[in-house]
Amino acid sequence: MKGDIIRQTYEIKCIAPVHIGSGEELRTFEYLYNRDKLELCLLNESKWLAFLETRGLTEAFIKYVEIEGAGRSPRNLLEWLTANRVTEADLRKAGAIRRKVPVAQLSEKKYKNRKPTLNKVVCHLVRSDNAQPYIPGSSIKGTLRTGILHHFIRKDPARFRPYWQEICSVRGSLKEKGHKWNEIILRLEQELLHTLTYEDTERGDAAASALRGLCVSDAMLVGCAAKAPTIIVQKIDATTLIKPGERRGESPIVLFRECIPADSRLRFTITANLPMLRAAGIDSLPSVLNMLRTCTLDGLTRQQRVFEAIDAKYYGALFDDITAFKANALLGGGTGFLTKSLIYALADKENDARRFAAAYFDEQFTNPSHKHMETDVRLTPRTLKRAQTDGADWIMGLCSITGVGNAETL
């Protein structure tokens, strides 16, 4: 029927940096880092290797990599090249530089004057044709799916209590439990969303999922206020564990991610088959965005309550962004366990979910210093994932998704 299928354009405003990993992780001998300029150069692998061969540096480079791999090298790749009388201009002329990415400094006072020393860099997903970052539609749809499941669980918690009881009763190794937990959540999803009935189709079949009626395109960059379309950001967590003599718990981690900068804009479309969605109780695309917003705010409010109790003025500024920019989503990697988990929605009480998560983390991270069951008395996970770039401070991955214009009837 006319009006059953619609297409709506949406815009993502990156309130904070957003990281979508490409699967590419670079070690120090795989990129150039100019610490004075705070600039990283990614290499064109084939042309880089050809350049080394032309300069007669292949054997020397292999030895350098062996030393670096053993952790005995005091020099990064740029310093090694300088010692071998190779300039950046030489590399540009040979086409060995693929693209340049600025590197951000931490904004925290005790770190802000320190230029970061890079190690492993996790690259962002970029288009091969123009090196522009994008967010895959599958990532956006996965976030919407979590929001939809959260909504229906919260709407009728008693209905889903047996799933929580089953999750808590699972025994075995962490790997075995992980498989069983995934099976339980899959059954929950099938009960909620596998509501389409076709001949020769069973509930467990993918063809029965009402989310087949939600087709999400990739989100492409349409605006960027920063000087480059991506930026390297160091991982930093706020934590409820506070060292003696410290006012807050801050934990910079030696991991660097390539991100879409804050104040960037991306656009994507959702094509919706409304009869399919209605079969699962989803009335409209605006209702899907409302579900996502409620799910996002549920986790953020839990964190806000805990961290503002530690330092209301300091952490309050981070959470003010939620209202100021009408945030309704946390997108990408590095946003934390709460954005991807349904345990707080499923559990009878918040403390039950916290204890379950603490036991899980103690089993996953065997370092005795973690002690989640012993020390996480307010929140598990006990960290707030942040992103800092040159004086600014945000909640990692914080975004606003809004409709653009009117929906088109197909």
Side-chain angles (χ1 to χ4, degrees), residues 19 51 72 112 124 137 163 179 195 199 257 316 350 353 358 363 368:
H19 169 73
F51 174 83
R72 302 194 306 271
K112 68 183 301 183
H124 189 95
Y163 286 102
H179 286 309
T195 52
E199 188 176 350
R257 298 186 177 103
E350 185 169 318
E363 195 169 355

Side-chain angles (χ1 to χ4, degrees), residues 99 124-134 218-221:
R99 56 192 175 92
H124 189 95
L125 199 62
V126 298
R127 289 177 59 93
S128 59
D129 55 351
N130 62 7
Q132 293 294 302
Y134 71 100
D218 294 340
M220 310 308 299
L221 191 69

Side-chain angles (χ1 to χ4, degrees), residues 31 103-108 110-111 114-122 232-239 241 243 249-258 334-336 365 370 372 381-388 396:
Y31 59 82
V103 177
Q105 288 183 269
L106 292 176
S107 306
E108 197 69 26
K110 57 184 175 182
Y111 308 119
R114 302 180 193 173
K115 292 185 176 181
T117 300
L118 301 192
N119 63 347
K120 183 173 72 172
V121 174
V122 182
I232 304 295
V233 177
Q234 184 173 358
K235 175 177 168 62
I236 181 169
D237 295 342
T239 174
L241 290 184
K243 295 178 181 178
E250 308 293 337
S251 179
I253 295 165
V254 189
L255 173 65
F256 297 81
R257 298 186 177 103
E258 185 182 11
T335 53
F365 304 109
H370 284 276
H372 290 275
R382 57 181 175 235
T383 55
L384 175 65
K385 305 300 181 180
R386 295 157 63 192
Q388 297 185 348
M396 182 72 174

